[in-house]
Amino acid sequence: MPFIQPVISIPSLILLLLLFGYLGVPLWMWSLYVAATLLVINAPILGWSIFGVVAVILNVPWLRRTLITGPVMGGIQTLKLLPSISETERAAIEAGTVWVDGEFFSGAPNFRRMRSEPYPQLPPEIQTFLDGPVEQVCRMATDWEIQRRKDLPPAVWSYLKEERFFGLMIPKEYGGLGFSNLAYSAVMVKLASRSFIHTATVGVTNSLGPAKLLLNYGTQAQKDYYLPRLARGEEIPCFALTEPTAGSDAASITSQGVVFQDENGKLCLRLTFRKRYITLGTIATLIGLAFKLRDPDNLLGKGEDVGITCALIPANTPGVVLGRRHDPMGVPFYNSPIEGRDVIVPIDQIIGGVEQAGQGWKMLMQTLAAGRGISFPATCTGIAKLITRVTSAHTTVRRQFGLSIGRFEGVEEPLARIGGLTYLMDAARIYTCGAVDKGEKPSVVSAIAKYQFTELSRKLINDGMDVLGGSGICRGPRNLLSSIYIATPIPITVEGSNILTRTMMIFGQGAIRCHPYIYQEVQALNRGDAIAFDHALWHHMGLIVRNGFRAGLLSVSRGYLAPAPVSGPTAQFYRKLAWASTTFALMTDLALIGFGGNLKRREKLTGRFADVLSWMYLGMATLRRFEAEGQNPEDLPAVRWAMQYAFAQIQQGFEGIFANFSIPVLGPLFWCPVLAWWRLNSIGALPSDELGSTIAQQLQIPGAIRDRLTPGIYVPDHPDEALGRLEQAFRLSSQAEAIFKTIKTASRDGKLPQMKPQQLIDAALTAGVITEDDAALLREAESARNDAIQVDSFTLEEYQHGGQLTLWPPKDKLESRVETTL
């Protein structure tokens, strides 16, 4: 067929190979490609014969299943290449839904779909609640007062109940407020900016606890009775899951319930349990309890070992032992052990009734699948915004060597990190809320949110404490960050420790649940379904081939071969996300093939995969926020900083994966050339000093940019409050800055003596350098600044007995000192 020769050539075949590989074409198209290649190279009859046999086998399904897929199934089962899944793991994997996290495992994320996901706004009635009851409850007690009392004041408890704070998400028909997840998140953001005790108290009653389980699984009678009481605060709930021997491995709980018939023939439960770390436990009136249910006489018809079950136990039931407290880091929220000895309750106290007996683990996993993604991000974002507000004001007000400390590059670095990460965290918080409010239960994304938000919060509070220096470590009513610093390990630990969350939940579950084909293959293998396995396997093989070509081409082109869904300054970030996703998806498949079932024990490696996945999600959320908020040019420095930081974390994750990819044959390839190329052609590096300086300086200017980074938190306007005092000094210092520059210029030009500008106010006024109004503003600013930088002190008796604090210097001496200085 000589007429084909001019059309099909070796260069065109190479281009076609790259195109087919990049697009991921089906088997029959690859067959045509091979045929064309054989034609161009004038292959002998033997070559055509071999090709014909292979092409027929691959393209005829029943032949392929018989000759290839069947033996592959047997080999996988024998070699245990796919991880085994226990029933408890299956419940965790199947809990929730796959959301945009699945796009990253595909290697070709659908940005159009990801950009169309909701990024919701608060309706006016919710803003009214935030400006009214939430503002009021924040105003009623400072964090320092709560710390000294070791409890919320009685008036605050009463107000929380009166305004239905314990029923924020209980539907209105049951007496609650019926808030969306976004609305609940906004409440938690504001409460967190006031006191961690607020969020611990309100959060447990609304997130993980009896109310959530009742709403999702309770019988109508249970809902009708308990939900109104919970909404009104007549019942204080807690949920008891963790035990001394069952923490991360919650499925190994030893608490036990036994089904029996009482003397009247009614079915009951006899419960014995020992729980710990139970928030609100010591004051709870209603205990949600997880236990293993046994039915020796098969009275329920579900066998002897029914499984993990959840039930409601009134705290006044005989045998329930309350009254003790844990002391978590000295943070005075209620947290306690709970015990039960021969506690007897009716069988209908099982949440959901007898039908839900044995379904407790599934219920908990499905509830946690969404819950982790709401409460933790809200609390940590509220903290981040407070840190941003405090540090940006402090670095302007606090002066050393004649300058605000925010002018020094050593301070700019953490301040930029605080601002950039706060922008990113708020973006991911709202993006995740939008998913849950539309009905998603994104278990992997929720795990990402739990881990990353608590870790980022820890990073930011460390930065904040470094910036504040001595002001940060001297506790008292003026100190706004020390209590947060002390409490930071608590969210790191609860609802699944961060080590477990990172190494097992994010990637371990994600690789199975979110991968386009792995779970289909596992299920087909377990069923022995050759047809389903064949379908999934060959699509999976095509995915690996496609991602192999895409990873190489996107790496060489630095992502520019990937189409961006937008133009302008953020297009480059979409291309890099496509590059990162393709590399991540390819390495995930190679790790699953290379390590097989042992992959889940390679926790250092899976942790790095989790980091890459996490930062791809956080980066996508950042881009979604920028677009949803109208692509404001003033926000671009924060967007660029956040995205560059995200890609730097992705780069670090990939380097760790390549350097430790210890599988036969391919391992050395990744340790040497691939790792060297990745470092030479990195996907990202930390933001530049110049960009960080831009963000730090933006934060030190009162106005829209700073306010957009920190909306929705409690900012008192009274100077008797620590933050109100600091904000007032910040505003006045900023207004006075230009006037001080005028005095400095006059001093430099010889019109005024060579002294500090603060000492030249009267001289500048006399010399006509400044006006009377200018002088009044400078005196007011200096007085406010001197007041704001003071720290609290105690007499020995006050320190030992918790009495009133003494300001040092005393206020009258401070005022006279300021007047003398001025």
Side-chain angles (χ1 to χ4, degrees):
M1 306 175 71
F3 62 89
I4 296 181
Q5 296 297 328
V7 178
I8 302 178
S9 61
I10 295 297
S12 61
L13 282 172
I14 293 174
L15 290 175
L16 198 60
L17 173 68
L18 296 175
L19 180 62
F20 277 19
Y22 187 85
L23 296 177
V25 298
L27 267 174
W28 66 268
M29 292 188 70
W30 281 112
S31 300
L32 290 177
Y33 173 81
V34 175
T37 303
L38 292 173
L39 189 65
V40 169
I41 65 174
N42 293 315
I45 295 298
L46 178 60
W48 280 99
S49 300
I50 294 172
F51 162 71
V53 172
V54 173
V56 169
I57 292 173
L58 291 178
N59 287 281
V60 177
W62 68 269
L63 275 176
R64 184 177 65 228
R65 288 195 298 268
T66 302
L67 299 176
I68 301 178
T69 305
V72 169
M73 286 182 69
I76 290 175
Q77 291 170 326
T78 301
L79 298 175
K80 298 181 180 179
L81 293 181
L82 287 178
S84 59
I85 301 174
S86 67
E87 285 303 314
T88 52
E89 287 175 320
R90 187 185 306 279
I93 289 169
E94 293 179 350
T97 57
V98 178
W99 185 46
V100 297
D101 38 349
E103 298 290 345
F104 296 118
F105 281 91
S106 74
N110 183 347
F111 292 127
R112 184 182 299 276
R113 178 247 174 134
M114 299 168 86
R115 293 172 62 243
S116 67
E117 291 293 332
Y119 193 85
Q121 301 294 318
L122 289 173
E125 60 270 21
I126 301 302
Q127 191 60 54
T128 299
F129 185 81
L130 292 168
D131 295 339
V134 182
E135 181 82 8
Q136 176 61 22
V137 81
C138 290
R139 191 181 296 124
M140 291 174 74
T142 67
D143 182 66
W144 177 251
E145 291 169 338
I146 297 168
Q147 296 283 342
R148 288 181 61 226
R149 292 182 57 91
K150 297 195 174 183
D151 191 7
L152 296 172
V156 174
W157 275 106
S158 297
Y159 192 78
L160 290 173
K161 294 177 182 180
E162 177 186 336
E163 296 296 331
R164 308 296 170 97
F165 276 81
F166 299 146
L168 294 175
M169 302 186 73
I170 294 175
K172 293 180 180 180
E173 59 263 33
Y174 295 109
L177 297 181
F179 279 8
S180 66
N181 287 280
L182 179 66
Y184 164 65
S185 174
V187 172
M188 292 289 281
V189 165
K190 191 160 188 172
L191 292 177
S193 69
R194 183 54 153 171
S195 174
F196 181 84
I197 293 84
H198 282 317
T199 58
T201 303
V202 174
V204 167
T205 57
N206 285 281
S207 58
L208 175 63
K212 276 280 189 182
L213 292 171
L214 283 169
L215 283 169
N216 292 329
Y217 306 102
T219 65
Q220 193 58 51
Q222 290 171 340
K223 293 177 182 179
D224 290 341
Y225 180 76
Y226 283 113
L227 289 178
R229 298 170 64 84
L230 289 166
R232 293 191 297 266
E234 294 175 13
E235 300 277 10
I236 299 297
C238 69
F239 193 84
L241 174 61
T242 306
E243 299 178 1
T245 59
S248 298
D249 183 14
S252 67
I253 60 178
T254 59
S255 297
Q256 189 173 115
V258 179
V259 182
F260 72 98
Q261 281 185 322
D262 66 10
E263 62 274 12
N264 298 317
K266 293 183 178 180
L267 294 181
C268 296
L269 299 173
R270 179 178 285 107
L271 299 159
T272 301
F273 52 90
R274 188 181 178 196
K275 303 288 187 177
R276 66 179 182 182
Y277 308 152
I278 312 305
T279 302
L280 299 182
T282 197
I283 62 167
T285 62
L286 183 66
I287 303 166
L289 182 72
F291 58 94
K292 286 185 175 177
L293 180 61
R294 293 183 60 250
D295 186 4
D297 300 321
N298 197 24
L299 298 172
L300 304 182
K302 296 189 173 188
E304 181 175 347
D305 292 315
V306 181
I308 296 176
T309 301
C310 296
L312 298 171
I313 315 299
N316 60 2
T317 305
V320 174
V321 181
L322 302 177
R324 300 187 66 81
R325 290 186 67 171
H326 298 306
D327 185 7
M329 301 297 293
V331 181
F333 69 99
Y334 286 104
N335 190 270
S336 62
I338 294 178
E339 293 187 22
R341 304 161 189 164
D342 290 327
V343 177
I344 296 174
V345 296
I347 197 75
D348 57 11
Q349 290 299 111
I350 293 175
I351 297 177
V354 172
E355 289 184 5
Q356 292 292 342
Q359 300 299 309
W361 185 245
K362 178 181 178 181
M363 292 161 59
L364 290 170
M365 291 300 98
Q366 290 182 345
T367 302
L368 284 169
R372 281 195 189 98
I374 306 300
S375 291
F376 288 107
T379 300
C380 294
T381 302
I383 289 170
K385 290 181 178 183
L386 176 65
I387 295 169
T388 301
R389 201 89 187 177
V390 170
T391 54
S392 60
H394 177 82
T395 54
T396 301
V397 171
R398 176 70 169 157
R399 289 177 175 268
Q400 292 290 280
F401 308 105
L403 293 172
S404 295
I405 63 171
R407 299 293 182 86
F408 297 102
E409 288 192 358
V411 175
E412 281 187 348
E413 184 176 8
L415 190 57
R417 193 158 49 235
I418 289 168
L421 290 177
T422 297
Y423 183 91
L424 175 145
M425 290 169 70
D426 209 17
R429 174 185 72 88
I430 298 174
Y431 194 43
T432 307
C433 283
V436 179
D437 275 333
K438 81 166 193 174
E440 298 283 354
K441 294 181 179 179
S443 55
V444 173
V445 165
S446 292
I448 290 172
K450 193 276 176 183
Y451 171 71
Q452 289 292 347
F453 274 79
T454 54
E455 290 295 340
L456 291 175
S457 177
R458 173 155 58 180
K459 185 185 296 290
L460 295 190
I461 189 59
N462 284 338
D463 281 337
M465 293 291 283
D466 286 349
V467 169
L468 263 62
S471 297
I473 63 174
C474 293
R475 299 189 65 207
R478 288 172 170 259
N479 192 320
L480 291 159
L481 299 188
S482 62
S483 294
I484 299 171
Y485 180 81
I486 293 168
T488 291
I490 297 171
I492 296 287
T493 301
V494 298
E495 286 194 35
S497 70
N498 275 10
I499 292 176
L500 168 77
T501 303
R502 174 177 179 257
T503 59
M504 294 182 65
M505 296 178 65
I506 295 174
F507 182 74
Q509 291 184 22
I512 297 174
R513 186 72 172 94
C514 300
H515 191 283
Y517 304 112
I518 287 291
Y519 199 41
Q520 295 179 34
E521 293 167 345
V522 171
Q523 289 176 311
L525 279 172
N526 291 338
R527 296 194 308 266
D529 187 340
I531 295 176
F533 184 79
D534 178 81
H535 180 272
L537 175 67
W538 290 99
H539 279 84
H540 191 171
M541 292 299 103
L543 182 74
I544 294 174
V545 170
R546 186 200 70 180
N547 285 334
F549 277 94
R550 281 177 59 88
L553 291 170
L554 291 180
S555 178
V556 169
S557 69
R558 297 194 52 76
Y560 278 94
L561 286 177
V566 298
S567 58
T570 60
Q572 59 174 316
F573 301 130
Y574 281 104
R575 294 190 180 100
K576 282 192 174 184
L577 278 178
W579 174 14
S581 171
T582 300
T583 308
F584 170 80
L586 176 64
M587 296 307 299
T588 294
D589 279 322
L590 294 179
L592 288 167
I593 295 170
F595 294 105
N598 290 322
L599 181 58
K600 64 177 166 181
R601 287 182 283 276
R602 298 295 302 269
E603 295 179 0
K604 297 173 187 176
L605 196 63
T606 59
R608 296 182 183 106
F609 274 106
D611 293 341
V612 174
L613 177 61
S614 297
W615 284 100
M616 287 192 292
Y617 175 72
L618 295 174
M620 183 63 222
T622 300
L623 296 176
R624 182 71 183 93
R625 173 183 180 177
F626 178 63
E627 293 170 15
E629 294 181 352
Q631 301 182 349
N632 192 322
E634 291 183 333
D635 293 340
L636 266 176
V639 174
R640 288 194 175 103
W641 193 99
M643 294 305 299
Q644 290 177 19
Y645 188 89
F647 284 116
Q649 309 313 305
I650 291 171
Q651 171 73 20
Q652 182 178 347
F654 276 132
E655 287 187 15
I657 291 169
F658 297 145
N660 296 277
F661 208 68
S662 55
I663 63 175
V665 183
L666 287 179
L669 177 66
F670 286 102
W671 304 337
C672 299
V674 172
L675 180 57
W677 168 253
W678 194 261
R679 287 173 173 167
L680 181 66
N681 183 51
S682 70
I683 198 170
L686 288 172
S688 68
D689 293 345
E690 183 180 1
L691 180 58
S693 179
T694 298
I695 293 175
Q697 294 306 316
Q698 283 180 337
L699 286 176
Q700 294 176 76
I701 301 172
I705 297 177
R706 181 172 182 261
D707 291 341
R708 279 201 304 275
L709 272 179
T710 59
I713 63 172
Y714 177 66
V715 182
D717 55 9
H718 200 287
D720 284 348
E721 282 262 17
L723 184 55
R725 180 186 302 114
L726 184 59
E727 285 285 310
Q728 181 188 55
F730 171 63
R731 288 191 299 270
L732 290 171
S733 296
S734 297
Q735 292 168 16
E737 185 65 24
I739 305 173
F740 275 128
K741 285 183 179 178
T742 300
I743 295 177
K744 284 183 181 179
T745 300
S747 179
R748 187 171 59 247
D749 293 343
K751 298 178 182 178
L752 294 172
Q754 294 290 323
M755 299 171 65
K756 291 182 178 180
Q758 294 91 333
Q759 298 172 325
L760 293 173
I761 297 175
D762 289 337
L765 180 61
T766 301
V769 174
I770 61 175
T771 67
E772 286 281 1
D773 289 342
D774 292 338
L777 174 60
L778 293 180
R779 291 191 181 97
E780 185 182 9
E782 281 301 288
S783 176
R785 186 182 68 82
N786 276 278
D787 189 13
I789 63 175
Q790 304 307 314
V791 297
D792 299 293
S793 67
F794 305 79
T795 66
L796 181 59
E797 182 180 0
E798 289 167 349
Y799 183 78
Q800 290 177 335
H801 301 290
Q804 296 296 317
L805 296 181
T806 301
L807 174 67
W808 185 257
K811 190 171 179 61
D812 56 344
K813 293 183 179 180
L814 171 64
E815 290 174 348
S816 64
R817 176 183 298 184
V818 172
E819 289 171 1
T820 302
T821 302
L822 299 181

